[in-house]
Structure formats: C-alpha cells, structure tokens
Amino acid sequence: MNYETIFKKYKNAGQEHVFKFFDELNKKDQEIFLTQLSQIDIDQVSTLIQQATAHKLTQDTDQLEPLPQDIVDVSHPQWYQNGLQLIAENKVAVILMAGGQGTRLGSQDPKGCYDIGLPSHKSLFQLQAERIQRLQTLASSFYSKNSIIPWYIMTSGPTDIPTRQFFKQHNYFGLSEQNVLFFKQGVLPCFNLQGKFMLEEKGKLAVAPDGNGGIYNALHREGVIKSLKERGILYSHCYCVDNSLAKVADPIFIGYCASRHTDVGIKVVAKNNPEEPVGVVARRNGKYGVVEYSEISDELANMRSNLDGSLAYGAANIANHFFSTDFLERVPSFANQLEYHVAHKKIPFIDASTGDRVFPKEPNGIKLERFVFDVFSHSEAFSVLHVDRADEFAPLKNGSGAGVDCPETSRTAILNQAQRFITMAGGHYQDQSIEVEISPLLSYGGENLEKLNGKFIKKSCILNSLDDVYSQ
Ligand code: UTP
C-alpha cells in the first residue's frame, strides 16, 4: 500500500493526525511507519474504539451464579496414568503464554528469564523446560516410547527477540530445538480517551499486545494449529509464564480432562478470603467463565455455600487450562463474538502541539485486551479440577520486596514443596535452617525420591541426583 491509500484509510477513520510529523521523518523511517500503519485493520479497530469509548464493553447486567459443586473434581490416581500414556503417545503439547510486558515486576527482560533467587539460580523458563524434560523421560521409560512434548511459546513484540535469544543462549535447556516453537501474538493500537491513536514516536504508533486472549488468533495466524495437527496432538496444556509452580503438562490434569472428553478444562484453587484479588470460575448468563475480582460485588464475594460454608464464589482461577485441538480449531467460528476488555493505562506519547515526548502520571489512554478465558462460554464439555494451591500456584507479579506474589514468595513456595516431597518420601532435614532445592530433572512431582526414606539431610543443597545426599 502506498502513502495515498494509507492516508485515505486513516482519514476516513478520523485518525489522520498520526501523519502530523510524517514530513519530518527520513525516507527509511517513513517506510517503516507506513508498514506499521498498513498492518493495522483500521476498520476493525475503529469499531472497537467506538464500543470502548461508548462503554459498551461493560457487563453490568450479567447474571452470575456460583460454580455447581458437582462440576468440580479432585485428583484421582488413575488420571496420572492416563495422562502419562497420552504423553507417551505424543498426543500432548504445552502452550505457554509469555507475551506480557511484566510491568509490575519491573524487569527489563521477559518474565520467563527471571531468576527468583533459588540456590541454582534457574530462571522460570529453565524450571519449566526441565519439568517438560522430566515428563518426557518418565513417559518414555514407562511406556518404552520416545515421547516428545512440543512446547509452543507465545511471545509478543516486546518479548519475542529476547525470549528467542535466551533459549538459544541456554541451548534450549536440554530440549530439542525443533520441539520448542515460538509464535508471536498480535498488537492493537493504544488510543486516548477521545478515541484517537497515540504516537509513541513521531513515526511510530503506540501499540500494546492484545492480551493473553490474543493467543487464539495467533495460534491460527502463526500456523500453530496446523503444526499441532501435523504432529497428531489432541490436547494442550496452556499456562502462564509467571506461575513458578506451574505443573507443565500435568499428567493428572491431562488424564482427567481427556477421560471426560473435555474440550476446555481449568484448574482452580480455593480462594484464600473474600478480598483476595483473583478471578473465580463461575457461571455467567448460564455459561461457564471467569469472573474477575473487579466484576464481583462484596455481597457475592462474601456469599457462602450452604453445604460446607466455603466461599460460594471461591474457585480461584490459576490460569492453567486444557484445550482439545478440536476446540482450538473451532475458535475462529465464534471469535467475532468475543469482546475486548478496556484497560486504562499510562501511555507515553508525542504531544501533537510541541512534538515532545510526554510521560503521563495518570492513566491517559486505553489498551484493548482479550483474556484467555473469554472463550470458555463456547465450551461444550467444560471440566474443573480442584488442586492444592501450595503445589500449583505461586505467581510472580511484583518486584522484590513486595511481600506478595514476588520473587521471595515464589522461591519459598518451591523450597517448601521440596521439603514436602522429601518428607513424603520418608526423608528428614537435620535442622530447620536447611534448604533443599530439587532439580525438576530428578523429580517432577515427588516421585523418584523413595531412596531418601529414613535419610537425614545434613546441609542445604541442590538435589540433582540422590548421590548429592549420600555424599553429605
Ligand atoms: P498479566 O496480566 O499478569 O500481565 O499476565 P504481565 O504482563 O505478566 O504483568 P503486568 O500486568 O504488566 O505487570 C498473565 C500472563 O499472561 C501473559 C503474561 O506473559 C503472563 O504469563 N500475557 C499477558 C500474554 O501472553 N500476553 C499479553 O498480552 C498479556
């Protein structure tokens, strides 16, 4: 598309102000800017802006109901075996959502590169890679097959290059390069409260990733669905990069969902208290979905079940999902019914009157996002698995020292889990100051530690193999 065509499109959409500084740009920057502008579906974005500025995206009239108790299951040993078998048959993939900008954490690097301060200093990406590798080993040896769990990693504009580089630098953490596949989510232009696009630079629109729900478009556009089908993958485990305890490709969850012919599955934990700022799984207008913390009234948040006195809206979402490939393939058939969520943010911009860059102190613009759970209402066979928070959920959201959902809480969660695994195996710590980190390559979920029965661990260590204890 040439300048005239693009200008006309933007003028028709009332966004021609983005060309204000065009003549000041050199030839190369003009071309880069025109390429960016031409890649935006301006008609679609204009409709979204109209909806957002008219506040049509709010959901005040929604009818909420708690999750029926009979839809929630708790772990059963048979599911582990079912899941491991599906992994052994190469029918399971892992999809990671790692496109977020991690603004609260405040690190320059993608969140997955973060070192939460474990004795080994492994990054979140490394922990997750090693869990995958361990499961491949377990499935391969149990079923005498060469099991592969392909790992599809969703990045975004800001995280794509550094994420790829990090994996390359670390040799894919021992996984095979051809089974670690990156794909990039889309972006949407940011706009001010009057619905006008904002310039990040004189020749660059301010854009932001389209939320973790951008995953569905990206899966199709970037050829992931095709790849899943070519590899014969039936089920995927989809999770967020920032859960330090993420049980990647959890065989129990896979086995559970598959045995119920689930198309969309979700793990939940008990909400800690009515005020905890987490989304809960519930029914909205008769369909399953996640109700965000901000969408639920105090009265509903405090409501208790008549059966056992637990919170009626107490099934907290930990962003661990199961999808059948069939379901993922079906998403485009209803994608245009999915709404965008409005997020008011502080967006740096070029002031049109002065040409200067402004860093606002208050939210001055809007980002539009979709959430991964927006599709749940279209599920035809929805399953919910109740899991133990201590073993499954330690989110890394905030910077060091925040006291909640921060590197320190993630580190503690992993080391406490190791202690539980060792105790379950019959081992003991000589004293309470001891810290043991168990490499995921040695044990995925507490297995393989039986030889620690009766053993006293005398000093802090990283357990890469049981020899590390015998040699103490
Ligand atoms: P959050 O909503 O917590 O965002 O993402 P974030 O980027 O990690 O952190 P803040 O809000 O800027 O501080 C939850 C998960 O969804 C992914 C993130 O990478 C994280 O795994 N995500 C988020 C995406 O993949 N894409 C997005 O556009 C947004």
Side-chain angles (χ1 to χ4, degrees):
M1 266 196 270
N2 59 19
Y3 171 85
E4 280 73 28
T5 320
I6 298 172
F7 182 81
K8 205 164 143 211
K9 272 180 171 275
Y10 277 74
K11 189 162 190 307
N12 288 343
Q15 303 285 3
E16 69 273 23
H17 62 283
V18 302
F19 289 92
K20 168 101 196 244
F21 303 103
F22 193 77
D23 294 338
E24 292 180 26
L25 305 174
N26 64 36
K27 198 106 202 103
K28 187 156 167 271
D29 289 343
Q30 285 185 343
E31 270 169 32
I32 295 173
F33 189 33
L34 288 175
T35 306
Q36 185 195 30
L37 295 174
S38 67
Q39 284 167 347
I40 287 163
D41 182 344
I42 183 89
D43 296 331
Q44 185 219 10
V45 177
S46 298
T47 312
L48 293 176
I49 293 177
Q50 274 169 17
Q51 289 174 342
T53 46
H55 301 291
K56 283 202 192 119
L57 299 182
T58 53
Q59 293 144 1
D60 295 344
T61 53
D62 286 351
Q63 287 287 325
L64 301 182
E65 287 166 82
L67 207 55
Q69 300 253 340
D70 60 1
I71 194 186
V72 186
D73 276 295
V74 288
S75 249
H76 186 286
Q78 182 56 37
W79 296 331
Y80 175 80
Q81 221 47 56
N82 294 351
L84 201 62
Q85 182 164 0
L86 288 165
I87 290 172
E89 290 166 357
N90 294 342
K91 291 183 176 152
V92 177
V94 165
I95 305 176
L96 167 61
M97 293 177 288
Q101 289 169 293
T103 36
R104 284 168 288 172
L105 182 63
S107 162
Q108 290 300 307
D109 302 318
K111 245 189 207 178
C113 308
Y114 202 84
D115 166 7
I116 55 172
L118 286 171
S120 66
H121 293 289
K122 285 177 186 172
S123 61
L124 294 179
F125 280 140
Q126 181 165 1
L127 293 170
Q128 294 162 20
E130 292 184 354
R131 289 173 195 150
I132 291 177
Q133 197 168 338
R134 171 73 189 151
L135 272 184
Q136 289 183 162
T137 309
L138 277 171
S140 299
S141 57
F142 201 87
Y143 291 95
S144 306
K145 295 199 166 153
N146 181 21
S147 309
I148 290 162
I149 305 172
W151 193 12
Y152 295 89
I153 300 179
M154 182 171 82
T155 62
S156 63
T159 66
D160 188 61
I161 292 173
T163 302
R164 289 172 194 258
Q165 281 172 345
F166 192 73
F167 273 80
K168 209 173 170 59
Q169 257 165 28
H170 292 90
N171 257 323
Y172 300 84
F173 305 104
L175 295 170
S176 162
E177 184 178 348
Q178 77 244 34
N179 297 322
V180 181
L181 303 110
F182 299 92
F183 67 106
K184 204 161 136 183
Q185 71 175 99
V187 290
L188 282 173
C190 305
F191 48 90
N192 66 18
L193 303 178
Q194 289 71 48
K196 298 288 182 193
F197 288 167
M198 303 166 85
L199 288 176
E200 181 184 327
E201 290 167 21
K202 288 182 175 173
K204 190 175 177 197
L205 282 189
V207 294
D210 53 359
N212 59 20
I215 189 168
Y216 301 104
N217 277 342
L219 286 173
H220 282 266
R221 192 187 54 239
E222 304 276 300
V224 176
I225 300 288
K226 188 164 168 274
S227 166
L228 291 171
K229 292 177 76 178
E230 277 166 7
R231 287 175 179 250
I233 301 292
L234 299 182
Y235 311 115
S236 294
H237 174 226
C238 175
Y239 71 104
C240 289
V241 71
D242 53 8
N243 179 4
S244 313
L245 287 172
K247 286 184 78 176
V248 186
D250 178 13
I252 299 174
F253 188 40
I254 303 289
Y256 162 67
C257 291
S259 69
R260 293 179 49 129
H261 307 289
T262 301
D263 58 4
V264 176
I266 183 166
K267 282 186 181 181
V268 295
V269 299
K271 190 173 168 181
N272 273 337
N273 54 58
E275 291 77 37
E276 193 189 2
V278 286
V280 292
V281 183
R283 281 166 74 83
R284 187 201 290 275
N285 303 329
K287 308 260 188 179
Y288 292 110
V290 172
V291 181
E292 291 224 78
Y293 176 67
S294 53
E295 292 177 316
I296 197 163
S297 66
D298 280 355
E299 189 192 344
L300 290 188
N302 282 284
M303 200 166 117
R304 302 230 163 227
S305 140
N306 292 333
L307 288 175
D308 58 6
S310 61
L311 291 174
Y313 291 89
N317 169 32
I318 59 167
N320 255 275
H321 309 307
F322 166 100
F323 294 113
S324 68
T325 305
D326 287 348
F327 180 83
L328 293 175
E329 211 181 351
R330 197 158 66 75
V331 174
S333 67
F334 55 78
N336 59 4
Q337 299 165 36
L338 301 173
E339 292 172 338
Y340 280 85
H341 305 259
V342 172
H344 290 263
K345 301 269 179 179
K346 292 179 226 166
I347 302 166
F349 67 101
I350 301 290
D351 184 327
S353 52
T354 61
D356 293 337
R357 192 128 196 249
V358 182
F359 293 89
K361 294 201 173 56
E362 297 301 324
N364 62 326
I366 290 175
K367 285 183 181 179
L368 290 180
E369 292 182 320
R370 274 182 174 158
F371 298 145
V372 64
F373 48 73
D374 290 341
V375 301
F376 288 4
S377 58
H378 295 266
S379 160
E380 289 166 359
F382 191 72
S383 293
V384 184
L385 185 66
H386 193 288
V387 297
D388 191 355
R389 180 187 289 249
D391 273 322
E392 305 247 7
F393 190 47
L396 177 65
K397 298 287 182 195
N398 306 312
S400 181
V404 287
D405 299 346
C406 61
E408 293 79 14
T409 53
S410 290
R411 176 187 192 277
T412 305
I414 290 184
L415 297 179
N416 286 349
Q417 185 187 51
Q419 183 164 15
R420 285 195 302 280
F421 286 169
I422 290 170
T423 309
M424 267 163 17
H428 310 273
Y429 288 8
Q430 189 97 310
D431 68 67
Q432 280 312 312
S433 67
I434 289 174
E435 285 185 335
V436 181
E437 179 185 347
I438 303 176
S439 166
L441 294 173
L442 176 67
S443 181
Y444 174 89
E447 81 293 343
N448 203 25
L449 302 173
E450 299 77 12
K451 289 191 185 147
L452 293 179
N453 192 9
K455 186 91 196 146
F456 275 82
I457 299 183
K458 299 192 194 78
K459 45 181 193 205
S460 297
C461 60
I462 302 168
L463 277 192
N464 291 308
S465 95
L466 296 185
D467 297 341
D468 296 325
V469 173
Y470 298 141
S471 60
Q472 282 191 350

